[in-house]
Amino acid sequence: MAEAPRGPGAPANVPDGPPPGIDELLERVRAGYQRIEARQAHEEARAGEALLVDIRYAALRERDGLIPGAVVVERNELEWRLDPRGSHRLPEATGHDLRVVVICNEGYASSLAAASLHQLGLHRATDLVGGFQAWRAQGLPVEPVTA
């Protein structure tokens, strides 16, 4: 296939063929790391071996509650807050070996977020299969949002 036309502002590496759909993209990024189930995430967090990061938006947190001990980071701030070399990092973002478990509502957006963290060098980043809804369905701790 011929190379896509290039001009000012065009990406340097335009792939041949049609871009992947979201299902194919999720399959690709998830193949790059091992996802984690709710009980294992809970055990790792309790043992101090993992940082749980809730990226759900405020309305979902207010509706469904919070995972005790999870750090809330809006999705659009995730990379800035978890980059160990970043000027806006969280105190918990101590190094590239940090075990991060990203949690969204149902386990889709968190997969893309975990892949993005891998690109920053957080090679132990993963996401929660089924997201917050799987956590709650397993009967794991949830607390209401307090004002």
Side-chain angles (χ1 to χ4, degrees), residues 30 32-36 99 125-127:
R30 288 173 175 169
Y33 63 91
Q34 186 167 359
R35 302 179 77 209
I36 190 170
R99 171 72 155 165
T126 187
D127 76 311

Side-chain angles (χ1 to χ4, degrees), residues 92-123:
E92 294 89 348
T94 56
H96 289 95
D97 286 336
L98 180 65
R99 171 72 155 165
V100 176
V101 179
V102 183
I103 303 166
C104 68
N105 194 48
E106 294 182 344
Y108 296 99
S110 58
S111 295
L112 299 175
S116 181
L117 294 178
H118 276 256
Q119 291 179 323
L120 284 176
L122 292 157
H123 61 94

Side-chain angles (χ1 to χ4, degrees), residues 121-146:
L122 292 157
H123 61 94
R124 296 182 65 215
T126 187
D127 76 311
L128 187 64
V129 175
F132 178 86
Q133 297 306 322
W135 179 280
R136 185 169 62 178
Q138 289 287 312
L140 296 170
V142 174
E143 59 190 18
V145 174
T146 55

Side-chain angles (χ1 to χ4, degrees), residues 1 15-21 24 28:
M1 181 170 190
D16 287 341
E24 182 181 343
R28 285 183 191 177

Side-chain angles (χ1 to χ4, degrees), residues 61-74:
R61 294 191 310 267
E62 290 168 8
R63 182 189 77 188
D64 294 336
L66 299 169
I67 295 172
V71 175
V72 174
V73 178
E74 296 288 335

